[in-house]
Each structure stands twice: as C-alpha cells, then as structure tokens.
C-alpha cells in the first residue's frame, strides 16, 4: 500500500494549479445518462472516485471515451436502470445515479451506499424528494427501488436537520428535468458544484431558473441532448493549497480559482490575519511574521464555511497562539483526524460538535493514519509544520479527491514523497 513520507517544511513558494472539482464532476458524470446523445466533459479530474463513477456508468451501458487527459466523451444510448452493490459500495456519491435513472428510465434500482467514517449519511431527503415527484419508492434488500412511471413535477421542500443536501438536490433536479410539469424546489443546496451541474443541465436543454439560489424552478422537458461542459474548479483543493501556503509561511499563488467561490473560508483567514492578494482567478498567500490570530468557525451549508475545509483549518490553527474553536454542524463526527494530530503533539480537545484547539503547539513527525479524504489532507498540512518525518498511511482516501497532490506540492518545494509501506521503518508499520 502507498504511504506518504512528509518532512517538516520551510516556506512553499510558487504557483500551484487547481484542477476540476470532484464534487461537481461526480453528479455531472451521472447526468450524462440523461441523454442518449454524446456529452463531452472537460476538466474532469483524474481521481479514483472518477474511475469508480465511470466504471458504474459503463456497467449501466454508457460508452466512455477519453480522447485526451481530463476529457471524457460519454454516450448512453441503451442503458439499464440497475446500479449494483458491488460497484456502488465503493463510493457513496453513486447515490446521485438515482435522479438520472428515474428521469430517463422511469425506474431505478440503486444499491444504498454503506456508512462512512465522517458520520451517518442518510438518504431520507433524496427519497422524500422522489416521493414528492409522485414516484413510488421502496427499500428492500439494501436497494432503493423507484417506480417513476407516474412522475410529476410539484412543490418540494428539501431541507433536513442540517439544512440543504448537496447530492439530494442534484438528484431531485436531475429527476425533475424530464418530469412533466413544474417542480419548485425549496431549500435547494447552493453549493457551486450544484450550480455547475445546473448549468450543464441547461446546456443539455433543461429548463431551470433560480440557479445558485435556494429556490430552483425546473420545468420538465421531453428530451435532453448532448452538450460540452467544462467542470468548475475545485474550491476545496484550492483552499487546501491556501492553507499549505499559510502553514509554511510561504508565498503561494493558487491559480485557477475564483476567490468568490471561497467567501466564508477566505473571510476566516483574513480574520486570522493571513496576508493574501486576491485576483480574478487566483489567491496569493503571502509570508507573515509572528502568529496568526485564532478563529471561531462553524461549518454550514454554502455560503457558510464548508465542512470539507474544516480539518485543514484545524491543522493551521494548531500553529496559532491562543484558543480556536471549530464547530462541525454538517457531520458532527468529522474529527477522526484529531487523535492523529494529538499524536503529533497538537493540543486539541473535542467538546460535543466542537474541536477546541490550543495553538502554537510544537508538532513532531509521527506515523499517522488517514481516516477520510479531508482528514488525510489535514495530516499532510500538519506534517509540513512538524519537526522530523511524518509517515501517513491509508492515503488511498486522499487519492479519491486530490489529483496529483504530492506532485503539485513537491513542485513548489514541499518535502512529500509517495512510497510503499514496505519503505517504512518496520517499527512504524500498522499491524
Ligand atoms: N442529510 C440528511 N438526509 C439526506 C441527505 C443528507 O439528513 O437525505 C444530512 C447529512 O447527514 C448531512 C447534511 O444533510 O448532515 C448534508 O449532507 P449532504 O447531503 O449535503 O452531503 P452529500 O451530498 O452526501 C456532499 C459532498 C461532501 C460534502 C457534503 C457537504 C459530494 C459527492 N459529496 O455530500 O463531500 O462534505 O456535500 O458539503 O458532493 C468530500 O468531498 O470530502 C465530501 C465528503
């Protein structure tokens, strides 16, 4: 198995480019099933999650061609309505096949994805939305079975305990594009990735208004056609690189991202006193003296502070003087990285849904275990600030959502190497 060896780092310096957004590309790939014509997608990141999704699409009947890196041409002439467990279990986001299958096939059988280390990942809102679209939904043998023969647009309130749902919104919008009548979706997710999906659907001929707002109005059409679409930049990857610059006190230009996609995140870093220069499509992190200031952050649906940048900010806050509080409102269990940071010397306690971080810890390298995608990134960032070598195991989590992570960072001076666990000192290996 691959591991990362990361050594305490001086300032990173240079430009780092942002790739396509995983969380936009996944539902967008699923949306290609909505038409029997060819959809050409650009800026698709090369990630293991994309490979899982493409594998499922091929199983469903899509033809997938990659004419050049980052570009996929997908044609779904004859497809089945079944997404089986052995494929779906590899990736929770495969739940967003429900919407396109319901729309195009008027029926779907999609295995319910398993649990996840960051907390329960229910799909009750997806099901509620489909029922509101007059679908019959049944759960049996680990599958969601949907009969959409009588599908009909209508009013839907899609909010749950934590507010809106990202993939739930994607599913219901996709299902509604080909449903007779008008669907008025309230409490829709406003994440830029949902906006990107809606923009792509409009290019396919869908009628959607209110894009980017919590109220989407979708007027069903008879057919969708092929289109060309370039996937939006990955704001979470960009934010992770911003923190890499900040934690090493470097001069790093994160290129290919519109700062407005990261409003709440940049606001917090500004509050912390991080000097930055913002351009139309870049964020430049500048070196600073002394300590950054502490922050009090609560994760919320967009435009609030994103949960997917919570762990990384926590890593940075281990290096500021004073107490920072990070409260996780989307996935209250999303602190699996904390015990690993503690092993590196971080002073963090968990109080209910909050991590209380006492900063200015002297971190030292240690063997640590990645538990999920963003936790992996947080451990690597902390390792840049640590003295000595940190060995990070289970980095397959990172490969799900960061493209060429170590190559991009190494190119601006990071001491990070992908090795095999066989290269690790024996006494550091997990059992
Ligand atoms: N929720 C429900 N019922 C549902 C659906 C969601 O109660 O039917 C709750 C969840 O338990 C959670 C909240 O609503 O508390 C928000 O969940 P959401 O449905 O928005 O999450 P998701 O669509 O499953 C996407 C991203 C996640 C990201 C979240 C929140 C994709 C493929 N995944 O998940 O990304 O954390 O939105 O922004 O888009 C990641 O990239 O590391 C990642 C986990």
């Amino acid at each position: 198995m691959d591991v990362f060896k990361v050594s305490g780092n001086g300032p990173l310096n240079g430009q780092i480019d942002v790739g396509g957004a995983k969380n936009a590309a996944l539902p967008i790939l699923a949306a290609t099933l909505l038409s029997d014509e060819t959809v050409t997608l650009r800026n698709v990141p090369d990630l293991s999650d994309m490979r899982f999704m493409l594998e499922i699409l091929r199983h469903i009947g899509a033809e997938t061609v990659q004419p050049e890196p980052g570009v996929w041409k997908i044609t779904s002439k004859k497809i089945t309505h079944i997404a089986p467990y052995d494929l779906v279990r590899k990736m929770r986001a495969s739940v967003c096949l429900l919407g396109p299958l319901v729309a195009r096939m008027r029926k779907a059988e999609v295995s319910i994805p398993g649990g996840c280390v960051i907390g329960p990942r229910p799909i009750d809102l997806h099901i509620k939305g489909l029922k509101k679209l007059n679908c019959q939904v049944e759960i049996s043998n680990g599958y969601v079975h949907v009969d959409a023969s009588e599908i009909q647009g209508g009013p839907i309130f899609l909010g749950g305990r934590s507010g809106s749902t990202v993939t739930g919104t994607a599913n219901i919008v996709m299902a509604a594009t080909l449903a007779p009548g008008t669907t008025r979706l309230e409490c829709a997710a406003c994440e830029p990735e949902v906006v990107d999906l809606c923009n792509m659907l409009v290019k396919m001929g869908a009628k959607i208004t209110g894009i980017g707002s919590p109220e989407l109005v979708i007027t069903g059409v008879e057919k969708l056609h092929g289109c060309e679409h370039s996937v939006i930049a990955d704001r979470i990857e960009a934010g992770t690189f911003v923190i890499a610059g900040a934690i090493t006190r470097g001069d790093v230009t994160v290129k290919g991202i519109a700062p407005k996609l990261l409003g709440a995140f940049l606001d917090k870093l500004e509050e912390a006193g991080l000097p930055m220069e913002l351009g139309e499509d870049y964020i430049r992190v500048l070196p600073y003296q002394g300590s950054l200031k502490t922050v009090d952050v609560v994760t919320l649906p967009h435009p609030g502070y994103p949960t997917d940048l919570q762990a990384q900010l926590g890593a940075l806050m281990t290096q500021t003087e004073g107490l920072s509080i990070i409260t996780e409102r989307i996935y209250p269990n999303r602190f699996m990285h904390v015990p690993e940071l503690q092993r590196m010397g971080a002073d963090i306690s968990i109080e209910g849904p909050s991590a209380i971080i006492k900063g200015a810890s002297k971190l030292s390298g240690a063997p640590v275990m990645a538990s999920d995608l963003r936790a992996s990134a947080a451990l690597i960032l902390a390792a840049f600030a640590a003295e000595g070598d940190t060995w990070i195991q289970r980095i397959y989590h990172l490969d799900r959502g960061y493209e060429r992570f170590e190559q991009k960072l190494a190119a601006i001076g990071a001491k990070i190497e992908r090795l095999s666990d066989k290269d690790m000192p024996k006494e550091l290996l997990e059992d």
Side-chain angles (χ1 to χ4, degrees), residues 365-383:
V368 291
M369 210 75 78
S371 55
D372 72 77
L373 170 55
R374 309 305 170 189
S376 320
L379 296 177
I380 294 166
L381 295 169

Side-chain angles (χ1 to χ4, degrees), residues 22-23 121-125 162 165-167 308 330-331 374:
K22 165 182 88 78
N23 290 346
R121 311 279 299 265
I123 58 162
D124 56 306
L125 297 172
S162 316
T165 159
V166 173
T167 46
D308 293 341
I330 311 292
Y331 300 115
R374 309 305 170 189

Side-chain angles (χ1 to χ4, degrees), residues 22-24 26-27 49 92-93 95-96 116 118-127 160-169 189 191 193 235-236 300-302 306-308 329-332 334 372-374 401:
K22 165 182 88 78
N23 290 346
L26 286 171
D49 268 11
R92 224 205 87 84
V95 73
C96 61
C116 170
I118 65 178
R121 311 279 299 265
I123 58 162
D124 56 306
L125 297 172
H126 303 233
I127 292 172
R161 269 170 17 113
S162 316
S164 53
T165 159
V166 173
T167 46
T169 301
E191 270 68 5
E193 294 75 21
R235 66 194 163 106
I236 306 301
L300 291 168
H302 194 77
T307 171
D308 293 341
R329 289 268 177 244
I330 311 292
Y331 300 115
R334 204 174 200 182
D372 72 77
L373 170 55
R374 309 305 170 189

